[in-house]
Amino acid sequence: AISWNSHIWVAVLRGIVPVGEDGSACFEVPANRNLFFQALDSDYMEVQRMRTFVNFVPGENRSCIGCHEHRTEAPALRQSAASGVSPMKLAAQPGETAPRALYYPTDVQPILDRHCVACHNGKDAKPAPDLRGEMTTLFNRSYESILQAGLVKVVREWNGGDFAMQNAEATPPYTFGSHASRFTQVLRAGHYDAKLSREEWVKLVTWIDCGAPYYGSY
């Protein structure tokens, strides 16, 4: 098991690029990798995600035109802001390094240890959830508590059975990820003395928006 909801891939943070006012961007990506794109807001929280991956061979150029229009209609001709600039390099988010694999015990658990475990320590039935870093059979206590309680809204990549043969329904922005998650909603509203730094916040929402993975390797 790699994480609670996915067992076949490790989430790697590749980096971000700014997007033009017209919604366009031109950037370089690593070749021979499965890539997922996300649109983020100014708080580095996911607005919308691409639900499948794309990959490139060395030297390949590609645009998004062709997938994001109706299959029987040609896209309207327009000059995008990104078409007149050189491809940008991927950059790390604030307080981050990239590329790197996400790993819950070093990305998220230290944040919980600093801000949450003093109260959410499993000693009493309340307050739940138990956010300690104590190891369990497959993961750790806080990770299992957060996922079991449904505190993060993530895509379940594999449900098994007939679901595997069905097409995924289109979903509007803010359906999944950090904006839709109870965990971040409580923190944003103000939760006692828990006040995360900007870098801690970026790490937390990035973890949620990448599907709440646990392990950073196989």
Side-chain angles (χ1 to χ4, degrees):
I2 295 298
S3 63
W4 191 268
N5 288 307
S6 179
H7 307 283
I8 59 175
W9 59 277
V10 170
V12 177
L13 181 63
R14 292 288 172 186
I16 59 172
V17 293
V19 176
E21 290 187 4
D22 65 346
S24 66
C26 180
F27 52 96
E28 293 184 2
V29 296
N32 301 319
R33 294 291 184 270
N34 293 332
L35 306 169
F36 292 81
F37 297 132
Q38 295 173 319
L40 308 179
D41 64 15
S42 59
D43 292 321
Y44 300 92
M45 299 171 70
E46 176 192 286
V47 175
Q48 183 62 296
R49 68 176 58 192
M50 192 169 78
R51 288 285 300 275
T52 187
F53 63 84
V54 63
N55 47 47
F56 297 78
V57 297
E60 182 179 359
N61 296 295
R62 193 184 305 175
S63 101
C64 298
I65 293 174
C67 293
H68 289 269
E69 290 78 31
H70 194 281
R71 66 183 61 201
T72 63
E73 298 175 1
L77 287 175
R78 67 182 179 92
Q79 186 74 16
S80 66
S83 64
V85 299
S86 298
M88 292 178 284
K89 301 286 188 181
L90 296 175
Q93 298 178 119
E96 277 285 8
T97 57
R100 71 171 185 84
L102 276 73
Y103 183 44
Y104 181 90
T106 54
D107 282 356
V108 180
Q109 190 61 51
I111 299 173
L112 305 180
D113 291 341
R114 283 191 291 270
H115 299 285
C116 308
V117 170
C119 295
H120 295 274
N121 51 33
K123 294 180 180 179
D124 302 305
K126 294 183 179 180
D130 184 350
L131 297 180
R132 293 173 298 164
E134 171 188 317
M135 299 303 296
T136 58
T137 302
L138 294 177
F139 307 113
N140 78 3
R141 185 67 57 207
S142 67
Y143 182 81
E144 293 192 3
S145 296
I146 291 170
L147 272 294
Q148 284 176 334
L151 296 180
V152 292
K153 188 73 176 293
V154 297
V155 177
R156 184 168 183 176
E157 300 293 349
W158 172 253
N159 282 15
D162 294 337
F163 180 84
M165 303 303 294
Q166 299 173 8
N167 291 323
E169 294 293 330
T171 53
Y174 304 107
T175 299
F176 299 104
S178 49
H179 274 288
S181 295
R182 176 66 178 161
F183 197 71
T184 47
Q185 290 169 355
V186 168
L187 289 173
R188 294 187 96 184
H191 187 65
Y192 297 97
D193 296 327
K195 297 187 185 301
L196 276 61
S197 68
R198 188 189 191 207
E199 288 75 17
E200 288 174 328
W201 180 257
V202 170
K203 281 186 182 294
L204 180 64
V205 299
T206 299
W207 166 70
I208 297 172
D209 292 335
C210 284
Y214 188 85
Y215 292 105
S217 74
Y218 291 105

